[in-house]
């Protein structure tokens, strides 16, 4: 098939109407036919280099329903995956030619992949014989060179990045390469930027990942977590949101919630919102794990939750529209958003690891992303083996540094006029989590901004305070000082929280402890059979503990063998992987009772974990954090059956917590013993006084 860049030749070959509007970025062509139909043509060469035997893949979409989807373009068997050597691997298949770069030293990103197509004129890459690092390829046409370790071209230097495929390593050892189609859906119906007035587009920071956007006569909010904890009782807000946050949130025209994690989907916040305005439109992406899968269980009444297809413009009015995009790595749950107001683009990548598979719109007006790190139980919640204090500190320092440089590169690739780091302002504030708070160090917004400005000093960086406002029109006005575009909160405004009302939230969690289902040990089998994870050679020991992860009277301590979903009294004799988890009783029982994902336990630092061998069991954790049934266990039927088995009497007494005063006294005494500062000298002094007094009497 021969193709000419002129529209008449295309019309002659295909018998279609004149395309009229043709956009090209070397390998992707978008045709708009009669303003109704979109044809996305993905090809292996640029127009001037097509051959008669070239194969084309054509996707036809309705203009309004042009939904983005992820497509698997290559899968390697476990044996083929294991055979990949460190460095560059060139894969030739009927489906196409691919490049896979393997980096065993980087467990967070062991594989990078792309199609074997040079951006210049569609040439094929071969190994560069002059490269000693085994990471650089050379194009056979004009000698362009691609460094596969970064997926950036080194010849010409500082020029292009290669469009990446998303590698997904499966639990069975196979490797899939996934591509988002269409790869850049925002190029549909591009709008030229219009002039805007001061005050017309304003962003106000509230807390964590919550931003208020004033866009003409509309107000939009991102991810409102503005009260209460996240991840059970593990995360608390650093910042004090503006005092009128609830009134402003309830008056908003629309809200975007990025994903199901409770620092973005905050039911304590939404409960207060629902009391004032249950009909506010809320928009979420169409993820495999629905954002509001636990809405019914939460008891919060929200009447207008809109689930949006990926890569489709959602038209709010003539000036405002937005598009939700998927994450290339965690496409089953993470999303990001692109907002378009009069042609001005605001990109919020939230927590995405590879937002839109790392194909992002360039030269946006404003960009936001996470920055801090520390949002995982690994390695802080692990003990035994290599997990010493020194090892954890070294690991965390290395990971935080890597995250800083990665975020810097993502921002530089998008090249926004303004960059704002957010979605990292949380603290492990509860006194029982002091160890986590002291050791789980995080990046600061100022660190990331300084690094961005070091390499791209034209990008305006903004480390926001609650109540601070950015005015986009003033950013775009070259005749005024850009610093005037940002207005900080007035003097005297409370910036940081100094109290969190721990008791009211933790007491609610601990209400689960005395639930009658825990009177019978049979709940264990009932729960794990409901969870549905099995046929995996892993034995779990689960131990309920107090706040200090010490065994507690009346707490459960049991084994689960996931090879056959049995519940042995001791570890089996066969070779097996072993996982020991100590869970705080209240959070553990709430998780079981409500059928919640295990994120509250793991990401919320509510457990301590050891494993033998020291291996991450992705299949297990992915199931317990994402793939649990959306409906909770049927505890009513469980209790009915228990009543029949035990003549209506409980199988054993339900554990009851001690009175609060006793708990406080015990905690104080324990603190004194642990410090070994006040108690021992005091005892010595007391004994000396008694001895002296006895001698005086004699």
């Amino acid at each position: 098939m021969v193709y000419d860049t002129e529209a008449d030749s295309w019309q002659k070959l295909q018998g279609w109407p004149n395309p009229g509007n043709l956009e090209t970025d070397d390998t992707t062509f978008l045709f708009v036919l009669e303003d109704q139909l979109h044809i996305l043509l993905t090809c292996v060469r640029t127009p001037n280099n097509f051959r008669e035997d070239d194969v084309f893949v054509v996707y036809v979409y309705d203009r309004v329903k042009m939904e983005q989807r992820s497509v698997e373009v290559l899968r390697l068997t476990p044996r083929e995956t294991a055979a990949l050597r460190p460095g560059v691997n060139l894969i030739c298949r009927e489906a196409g030619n691919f490049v896979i770069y393997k980096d065993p030293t980087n467990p967070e990103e062991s594989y990078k992949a792309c199609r074997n197509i040079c951006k210049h004129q569609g040439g094929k890459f071969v190994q560069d014989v002059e490269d000693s690092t085994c990471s650089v390829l050379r194009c056979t046409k004009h000698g362009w060179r691609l460094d596969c370790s970064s997926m950036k071209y080194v010849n010409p230097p500082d020029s292009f990045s290669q469009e990446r495929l998303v590698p997904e390593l499966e639990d069975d050892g196979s490797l899939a390469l996934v591509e988002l189609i269409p790869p850049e859906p925002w190029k549909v119906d591009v709008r030229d930027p219009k002039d805007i007035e001061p005050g017309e587009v304003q962003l106000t920071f509230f807390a964590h990942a919550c931003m208020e956007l004033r866009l003409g006569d509309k107000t939009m909010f991102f991810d409102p977590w503005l009260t209460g904890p996240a991840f059970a009782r593990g995360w608390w807000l650093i910042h004090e949101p503006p005092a009128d946050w609830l009134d402003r949130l309830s008056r908003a025209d629309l809200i975007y919630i990025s994903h199901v994690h409770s620092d973005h989907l905050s039911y304590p916040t939404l409960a207060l919102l629902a009391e004032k305005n249950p009909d506010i439109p809320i928009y979420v992406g169409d993820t495999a794990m629905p954002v509001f899968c636990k809405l019914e269980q939460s008891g919060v009444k929200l009447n207008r939750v809109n689930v949006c297809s990926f890569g489709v413009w959602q038209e709010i009015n003539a000036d405002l529209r937005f598009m939700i995009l998927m994450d290339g790595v965690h496409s089953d749950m993470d999303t990001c958003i692109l907002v378009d107001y009069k042609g001005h683009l605001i990109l919020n990548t939230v927590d995405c690891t590879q937002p839109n598979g790392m194909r992002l719109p360039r030269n946006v007006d404003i960009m936001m992303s996470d920055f801090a790190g520390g949002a995982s139980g690994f390695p802080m919640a692990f003990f035994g083996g290599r997990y010493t204090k020194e090892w954890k500190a070294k690991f965390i320092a290395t990971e935080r540094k890597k995250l800083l440089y990665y975020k810097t590169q993502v921002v530089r690739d998008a090249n926004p006029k303004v960059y704002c780091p957010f979605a990292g302002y949380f603290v492990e504030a509860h006194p029982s989590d002091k160890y986590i708070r002291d050791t789980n160090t995080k990046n600061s917004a100022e660190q990331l901004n300084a690094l961005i400005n070091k390499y791209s000093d034209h990008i305006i960086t903004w480390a926001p305070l609650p109540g601070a406002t950015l005015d986009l029109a003033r950013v775009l006005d070259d005749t005024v000082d850009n610093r005037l575009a940002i207005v900080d909160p007035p003097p005297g405004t409370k910036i940081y929280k100094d109290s969190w009302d721990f008791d009211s939230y933790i007491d609610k969690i601990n209400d689960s402890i005395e639930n009658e289902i825990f009177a019978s040990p049979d709940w264990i089998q009932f729960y794990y059979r409901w969870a549905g994870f099995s046929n995996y050679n892993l034995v779990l020991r689960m131990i309920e503990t107090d706040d200090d992860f010490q065994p507690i009277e009346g707490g459960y301590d049991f084994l689960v063998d996931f090879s056959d979903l049995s519940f042995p009294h001791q570890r089996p004799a066969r070779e097996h992987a072993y996982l020991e988890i100590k869970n705080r009783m209240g959070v553990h029982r709430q998780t079981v009772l409500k059928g919640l994902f295990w994120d509250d336990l793991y990401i919320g630092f509510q457990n301590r974990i050891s494993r033998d061998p020291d291996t991450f069991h992705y299949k297990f954790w992915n199931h317990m954090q994402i793939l649990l049934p959306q409906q909770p266990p049927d505890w009513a039927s469980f209790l009915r059956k228990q009543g029949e088995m035990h003549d209506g009497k409980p199988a054993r007494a339900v554990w009851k917590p001690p009175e609060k005063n006793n708990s406080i006294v015990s905690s104080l005494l324990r603190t004194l013993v642990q410090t070994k500062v006040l108690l021992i000298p005091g005892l010595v002094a007391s004994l000396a006084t008694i001895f002296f007094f006895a001698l005086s009497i004699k």
Side-chain angles (χ1 to χ4, degrees):
M1 152 180 193
V2 180
Y3 174 70
D4 193 315
T5 55
E6 295 184 9
D8 288 342
S9 299
W10 178 260
Q11 180 181 357
K12 184 188 303 180
L13 283 169
Q14 303 297 333
W16 286 344
N18 189 316
N21 177 17
L22 173 62
E23 299 177 13
T24 174
D25 67 351
D26 289 344
T27 59
T28 301
F29 300 87
L30 182 66
F31 298 90
V32 182
L33 304 181
E34 297 179 342
D35 206 36
Q36 295 296 322
L37 192 67
H38 286 261
I39 307 297
L40 184 70
L41 176 63
T42 303
C43 53
V44 295
R45 290 181 182 79
T46 51
N48 293 332
N49 293 282
F50 289 167
R51 299 185 317 200
E52 293 189 4
D53 59 350
D54 281 343
V55 177
F56 296 85
V57 180
V58 180
Y59 298 89
V60 182
Y61 300 90
D62 179 272
R63 180 187 181 107
V64 179
K65 300 179 180 178
M66 187 174 174
E67 179 180 351
Q68 188 184 44
R69 59 197 180 96
S70 58
V71 176
E72 183 179 298
V73 295
L74 177 70
R75 178 174 289 272
L76 300 182
T77 66
R79 178 177 293 183
E80 291 170 332
T81 304
L84 294 174
R85 64 180 185 274
V88 172
N89 297 265
L90 300 177
I91 310 295
C92 298
R93 293 289 174 85
E94 185 177 346
N97 299 321
F98 303 91
V99 176
I100 299 177
Y101 179 79
K102 181 178 179 180
D103 183 3
T105 66
N106 183 5
E108 298 297 318
E109 195 176 14
S110 299
Y111 300 94
K112 296 182 177 74
C114 66
R115 290 186 179 273
N116 191 342
I117 307 169
C118 180
K119 286 182 72 77
H120 182 215
Q121 288 192 359
K124 182 181 292 187
F125 288 109
V126 296
Q127 194 78 45
D128 188 345
V129 295
E130 298 178 358
D131 171 48
S132 60
T133 65
C134 297
S135 65
V136 177
L137 296 176
R138 179 178 55 82
C139 178
T140 54
K141 282 200 168 184
H142 299 98
W144 282 36
R145 297 170 70 235
L146 174 69
D147 183 351
C148 298
S149 66
S150 63
M151 288 296 169
K152 293 185 178 299
Y153 285 82
V154 293
N155 179 31
D158 301 320
S159 54
F160 300 104
S161 296
Q162 185 78 342
E163 284 74 24
R164 293 167 62 170
L165 302 173
V166 179
E168 294 183 353
L169 184 64
E170 306 294 349
D171 196 61
D172 65 358
S174 62
L175 181 69
L177 301 186
V178 174
E179 186 172 40
L180 297 179
I181 296 175
E184 298 176 334
W186 53 86
K187 291 189 174 181
V188 176
D189 191 20
V190 176
R191 303 196 300 198
D192 292 329
K194 296 181 180 179
D195 291 338
I196 55 174
E197 299 295 325
E200 189 173 354
V201 176
Q202 290 186 327
L203 278 66
T204 301
F205 177 67
F206 274 46
H208 192 58
C210 181
M211 191 77 75
E212 178 194 59
L213 289 74
R214 292 182 58 188
L215 304 160
D217 61 354
K218 298 294 182 183
T219 300
M220 182 177 190
F221 270 82
F222 293 156
D223 287 336
W225 171 32
L226 298 167
T227 189
F231 299 108
R233 45 177 283 189
W235 293 25
W236 304 82
L237 290 167
I238 287 179
H239 290 127
E240 189 73 47
D244 60 348
W245 69 262
L246 183 55
D247 287 336
R248 291 167 70 171
L249 180 63
S250 62
R251 292 196 303 265
D253 296 288
L254 64 155
I255 296 172
Y256 160 70
I257 295 180
S258 60
H259 62 291
V260 72
H261 282 165
S262 54
D263 59 322
H264 300 265
L265 175 67
S266 168
Y267 280 115
T269 302
L270 295 178
L272 296 176
L273 171 65
E275 292 176 2
K276 295 179 73 73
N277 185 4
D279 297 319
I280 192 165
I282 298 177
Y283 293 86
V284 299
D286 189 13
T287 48
M289 174 50 61
V291 174
F292 279 100
C293 59
K294 303 295 183 183
L295 179 61
E296 183 177 350
Q297 295 162 245
S298 74
V300 177
K301 302 298 181 183
L302 297 170
N303 301 325
R304 297 182 64 186
V305 175
N306 302 274
V307 180
C308 303
S309 298
F310 290 113
V312 178
W313 286 119
Q314 308 294 324
E315 307 282 348
I316 303 302
N317 59 26
D319 296 325
L320 174 62
R321 61 183 182 173
F322 68 88
M323 172 185 294
I324 298 178
L325 303 166
M326 69 176 72
D327 183 28
V329 174
H330 303 293
S331 58
D332 45 10
M333 64 173 292
D334 269 342
T335 72
C336 52
I337 188 170
L338 180 66
V339 178
D340 178 344
Y341 178 79
K342 290 187 175 180
H344 297 279
L345 299 180
I346 300 172
L347 175 65
N348 176 12
T349 63
V350 204
D351 287 354
C352 288
T353 304
Q354 290 190 11
N356 198 56
M358 290 310 297
R359 295 194 64 166
L360 300 176
R362 287 185 53 80
N363 305 317
V364 298
D365 293 276
I366 301 171
M367 179 181 178
M368 292 164 266
S369 80
D370 65 338
F371 68 94
S376 170
F378 186 85
M380 301 315 305
F382 285 69
F383 67 94
R386 62 174 170 166
Y387 298 107
T388 63
K389 182 178 179 180
E390 293 73 22
W391 186 91
K392 290 178 181 179
K394 183 177 180 180
F395 176 88
I396 289 170
T398 301
E399 290 302 302
R400 300 299 179 266
K401 184 176 181 180
K402 285 163 57 177
L403 180 63
L404 279 177
Y405 279 92
Y406 175 68
K407 291 296 180 181
T408 298
Q409 192 56 60
V410 172
V411 173
R412 295 182 68 204
D413 287 345
N415 195 37
K417 295 179 178 67
V418 179
Y419 170 70
C420 173
F422 80 158
Y425 298 108
F426 69 93
V427 61
E428 304 88 347
H430 193 271
S432 65
D433 289 323
K434 184 178 186 300
Y435 163 74
I436 299 292
R437 182 173 67 255
D438 291 346
T439 55
N440 187 30
T441 56
K442 306 171 187 69
N443 294 327
S444 72
E446 290 76 14
Q447 281 178 296
L448 179 55
N449 286 348
L451 198 58
I452 291 170
N453 292 144
K454 177 180 178 180
Y455 295 104
S456 302
D457 58 4
H458 63 283
I459 296 176
I460 300 170
T461 54
W462 176 35
L465 297 174
T469 298
L470 181 142
D471 192 315
L472 181 57
R474 298 190 184 279
V475 171
L476 302 176
D477 188 348
D478 295 332
T479 65
V480 300
D481 188 342
N482 286 332
R483 289 174 294 183
L484 299 176
I486 298 172
V487 178
D488 286 329
T493 300
K494 186 176 182 180
I495 302 299
Y496 298 102
K497 295 185 75 70
D498 52 20
S499 63
W500 289 269
D501 191 19
F502 296 130
D503 287 348
S504 65
Y505 292 103
I506 294 177
D507 287 349
K508 190 173 181 180
I509 291 172
N510 288 343
D511 284 345
S512 300
I513 292 175
E514 299 184 60
N515 191 280
E516 58 185 322
I517 72 165
F518 299 108
S520 169
D522 293 342
W523 73 262
I524 299 170
Q525 297 184 27
F526 189 87
Y527 171 77
Y528 281 95
R529 286 170 180 159
W530 164 84
F533 183 74
S534 62
N535 299 315
Y536 190 79
N537 189 23
L538 173 68
V539 175
L540 167 69
R541 182 183 178 189
M542 187 70 78
I543 307 169
E544 291 188 322
T545 72
D546 62 13
D547 276 7
D548 296 321
F549 301 102
Q550 299 303 310
I552 191 167
E553 184 179 355
Y556 280 96
D557 183 342
F558 57 89
L559 293 170
V560 184
D561 187 341
F562 289 108
S563 65
D564 57 0
L565 201 55
S566 60
F567 304 88
H569 295 293
Q570 59 185 12
R571 290 175 59 178
R574 74 173 195 278
E575 185 175 341
H576 61 274
Y578 177 69
L579 187 63
E580 182 176 300
I581 304 179
K582 300 176 180 180
N583 283 320
R584 286 176 174 158
M585 179 185 279
V587 180
H588 177 236
R589 293 197 177 184
Q590 176 181 258
T591 302
V592 168
L593 183 63
K594 297 184 177 181
L596 303 177
F597 302 118
W598 283 24
D599 291 330
D600 282 356
L601 293 163
Y602 184 68
I603 301 179
F605 312 109
Q606 298 303 298
N607 54 24
R608 295 294 181 265
I609 300 170
S610 67
R611 54 195 187 187
D612 181 23
D614 187 10
T615 301
F616 177 60
H617 297 282
Y618 168 81
K619 190 173 183 179
F620 170 76
W621 285 107
N622 188 60
H623 187 96
M624 305 309 286
Q625 291 183 285
I626 294 178
L627 301 179
L628 289 177
Q630 294 183 25
Q631 293 300 316
D634 186 358
W635 294 118
S637 68
F638 170 78
L639 292 173
R640 283 195 300 270
K641 187 173 181 180
Q642 289 297 305
E644 295 168 1
M645 292 170 57
H646 304 289
D647 297 325
K649 298 177 182 179
R652 72 171 205 174
V654 179
W655 183 88
K656 293 182 181 296
E659 295 294 329
K660 275 189 178 180
N661 290 340
N662 293 338
S663 177
I664 293 171
V665 171
S666 300
S667 178
L668 288 173
L669 287 174
R670 185 163 55 248
T671 301
L672 289 173
V673 172
Q674 289 172 347
T675 58
K676 299 180 182 178
V677 174
L678 298 176
L679 188 58
I680 292 175
L683 287 172
V684 172
S686 298
L687 290 172
T689 301
I690 293 169
F691 181 71
F692 177 78
F693 183 70
L695 290 176
S696 299
I697 292 175
K698 288 183 177 182

